[in-house]
Amino acid sequence: QVHLVQSGDEVKKPGASVKVSCKASGYPFSSYGVSWLRQAPGQGPEWMAWISGHNGKTEYAQKFQGRVTLTTSGNTAYMELTSLRRDDTAVYYCTRDPKILTGYYYLELWGQGTQVTVSS
Amino acid sequence: DIQMTQSPSTLSASVGDRVTITCRASQSISNHLAWYQQKPGTAPNLLIYKASYLHNADPSRFSGSGSGTEFTLTISSLQPDDFATYYCQQYDSSSRTFGQGTRVEI
């Protein structure tokens, strides 16, 4: 079966960093891209960044430039967010898109989400 | 950034109703629009891509239309499983922005 399985929930202090993993299974990882999004309580999703499963090329939303780093290893993608603030508290999702195959970035497969709570 | 505006924010409907949700883009995005359904406590689920293409095995009561700046999602006959929040998203520009959501409730 085709799955994206994310790492567990995290609680961090302001100023710390968090690294969330996203393990892909059931499909050729290098044929797809992985986007990361977050969703704060009561809000819509917010796109953060994208990485190619083929060559590691990355794209970052301007808002997160310099604070987010995406990497991959094997069929697992990672998102690291640094200098955490209280307003970074949200559910973080990894998603699969068919950009490499089709040229389009729609989000056709989602991980289950990882709650990141920033609190002192 | 391209702004996406959905209307209405909340929609009250009954089982069997025909429901239409509108999404407007602040500039033309061709047909680079997707619709997602989200139920409480779960991740969003892709319904429609390229404005009008139904994703995989999604029920055919869902349909999408539009191009340029105005788009609609229609549910032809609302079912109990359809009560959820719906989001549009543009993927034409690098900002890949979402609408604020439309909650469909009884």
Side-chain angles (χ1 to χ4, degrees), chain A residues 30-102:
Chain A
S30 61
S31 295
Y32 294 84
V34 175
S35 284
W36 289 85
L37 298 90
R38 72 181 187 181
Q39 188 170 28
Q43 304 296 313
E46 178 179 30
W47 179 78
M48 300 174 65
W50 175 86
I51 187 165
S52 167
H54 173 61
N55 59 13
K57 177 186 173 184
T58 54
E59 298 173 4
Y60 296 99
Q62 191 169 5
K63 175 178 179 177
F64 297 101
Q65 280 274 2
R67 273 212 310 145
V68 170
T69 302
L70 300 189
T71 54
T72 62
S73 177
N75 62 346
T76 300
Y78 299 90
M79 185 281 296
E80 183 173 25
L81 183 62
T82 61
S83 302
L84 288 169
R85 306 185 290 256
R86 286 179 177 79
D87 63 0
D88 290 319
T89 295
V91 177
Y92 288 75
Y93 292 104
C94 65
T95 67
R96 185 186 87 171
D97 64 72
K99 165 65 175 173
I100 296 167
L101 294 174
T102 69

